[in-house]
Amino acid sequence: MAISKVGVVGGGLMGHGITQICAQAGWDVVMREVDDEKVGACVGKIDKQLSRAVEKGRMESADADGVRDRIEATTDYGQLADCDLVIEAIVEDLGPKLELFAELERIVRPDAVLATNTSALSVTEIAAATSSPERVVGMHFFNPAPLMPLVEIVRAELSSDDAVEAVFAVGEKLGKRPIRCHDTPGFVVNRVLIPLLNDCLRVLDEARVSPEDLDTAMTAGAGWPMGPCTLVDLVGIDVHVHASEALYEKLREPRIAPPARIVAMKNAGLLGRKSGRGFYRYD
Ligand code: CAA
Ligand code: NAD
């Protein structure tokens, strides 16, 4: 199926990047957020990235303006009505996602594809909130979305071949390296990465090592591009805890459960880069 207009619901850490790369690929994009403040924050972040790309000579000024013009940022669900594909990137909680997919079904054309960027929830359960689960798939981008090449294209139990192949083609047009997988807990990367990160965080206490030294250990000793504390701060401590809990609920492996230390950080509002403080401080 041909895609010419893309909707993105949620303009946070992932949603703003997904909006930006879809507009850069030449599609008209409608980005929906909950209020004007969040709409403004999303547009501001995209604007900053585009200005930087122009400053650094990676993009022509006219092309950056074209990208800005293709983005319609709104609080109105109705603007999503004529999208061919809607990508959901809201909070990592099943309840709000179920409500949203039921709402999307009422608004978006019946032949449009509905995709979720969930990290660790079941795409099949999300699809069950609609009466047309064949058009629901997972489209799992990695953070930061403009830089990370992988997109997991997740086939849920009832996803149609057409829907899966349409989003795979979108991934290719975005210049990403899409892979196809089935809807199993954590899909491919997070099935491995979430327990691994939680092991790393337990080592903080077990080996009585500082976050700085743990990060040095994993970058200088294991070749990671960034250390685990820096990475969890980048992902968002709330998102990491929610994703760990969702995965633990399905697999019941003790090492997948979020360590107490990081749950306490989430409860204290230390969410990493997005809140200005996590394992590190960000001014
Ligand atoms: N957002 C936007 N732009 C960014 C950025 C970000 N978070 N981080 C860096 N950049 C930009 C920089 O500003 C820089 O641009 P300028 O030249 O204009 O300054 C450019 O990208 C290159 O920056 P760096 O030299 O810092 O880039 P790097 O070579 O160190 O790579 C990285 C940066 C790609 C993020 C790399 O550190 C990396 O791969 N880190 C690991 C990230 C990772 O594992 N992500 C997956 C998280 S898990 C997940 O996403 C799944 C889930 O469901 C939770
Ligand atoms: P975030 O908290 O930065 O952003 C979520 C945004 O969704 C918020 O701005 C919120 O206002 C908005 N929102 C909530 N309900 C909404 C609704 N009904 N309509 C429109 N907007 C709504 O979260 P994030 O890190 O961008 O994560 C979003 C999704 O992407 C989650 O499912 C997460 O698991 C997944 N994900 C996150 C990462 C990561 O590294 N953070 C990576 C891959 C996938």
Side-chain angles (χ1 to χ4, degrees):
M1 81 177 283
I3 306 280
S4 61
K5 191 166 185 179
V6 178
V8 179
V9 185
L13 198 54
M14 294 305 291
H16 90 272
I18 296 169
T19 300
Q20 181 188 330
I21 57 178
C22 288
Q24 281 177 199
W27 290 301
D28 288 326
V29 187
V30 177
M31 189 290 301
R32 195 263 165 182
E33 255 292 351
V34 291
D35 57 34
D36 289 340
E37 196 186 328
K38 297 264 187 177
V39 166
C42 174
V43 171
K45 279 186 271 182
I46 295 172
D47 200 42
K48 198 168 154 196
Q49 292 297 331
L50 293 174
S51 300
R52 185 153 179 91
V54 172
E55 226 173 77
K56 290 262 174 170
R58 288 194 297 263
M59 195 184 277
E60 294 295 327
S61 175
D63 292 336
D65 287 342
V67 173
R68 289 184 185 95
D69 289 347
R70 284 193 286 281
I71 298 172
E72 187 183 336
T74 180
T75 55
D76 177 10
Y77 276 121
Q79 302 295 318
L80 298 166
D82 59 346
C83 289
D84 306 297
L85 164 68
V86 176
I87 305 169
E88 168 273 315
I90 69 165
V91 284
E92 183 71 352
D93 260 343
L94 188 58
K97 288 200 198 278
L98 296 179
E99 274 175 34
L100 175 63
F101 273 76
E103 181 73 21
L104 289 177
E105 181 168 50
R106 282 192 283 277
I107 295 161
V108 183
R109 276 200 337 260
D111 61 330
V113 176
L114 306 179
T116 172
N117 185 47
T118 182
S119 296
L121 295 168
S122 158
V123 182
T124 304
E125 281 178 47
I126 294 170
T130 73
S131 60
S132 48
E134 63 284 351
R135 62 163 159 160
V136 180
V137 295
M139 190 173 194
H140 185 212
F141 290 87
F142 288 74
N143 184 10
L147 300 186
M148 297 297 284
L150 183 66
V151 187
E152 294 172 339
I153 308 299
V154 184
R155 176 187 287 274
E157 276 315 299
L158 298 173
S159 304
S160 69
D161 291 346
D162 283 355
V164 170
E165 293 315 315
V167 289
F168 189 90
V170 167
E172 284 182 321
K173 184 152 184 227
L174 289 170
K176 300 291 185 194
R177 292 172 61 186
I179 62 162
R180 297 177 184 82
C181 59
H182 282 258
D183 181 29
T184 52
F187 318 130
V188 178
V189 171
N190 281 344
R191 173 67 183 86
V192 178
L193 186 60
I194 288 179
L196 191 54
L197 284 172
N198 286 333
D199 279 347
C200 289
L201 300 177
R202 284 187 192 94
V203 167
L204 277 175
D205 296 322
E206 289 166 10
R208 282 173 277 168
V209 66
S210 68
E212 289 83 354
D213 282 355
L214 176 61
D215 280 357
T216 301
M218 296 309 288
T219 52
W224 285 27
M226 55 173 55
C229 297
T230 305
L231 182 55
V232 173
D233 271 1
L234 172 71
V235 165
I237 285 170
D238 51 343
V239 169
H240 179 73
V241 168
H242 282 139
S244 301
E245 283 167 347
L247 206 52
Y248 177 65
E249 198 179 294
K250 295 277 191 273
L251 296 170
R252 293 285 161 197
E253 290 175 20
R255 60 188 287 255
I256 296 176
R261 174 185 184 130
I262 194 160
V263 175
M265 288 173 75
K266 187 205 94 176
N267 293 340
L270 304 179
L271 306 183
R273 281 198 200 186
K274 69 169 99 171
S275 71
R277 193 173 154 199
F279 287 102
Y280 300 103
R281 285 177 185 272
Y282 304 86
D283 299 319

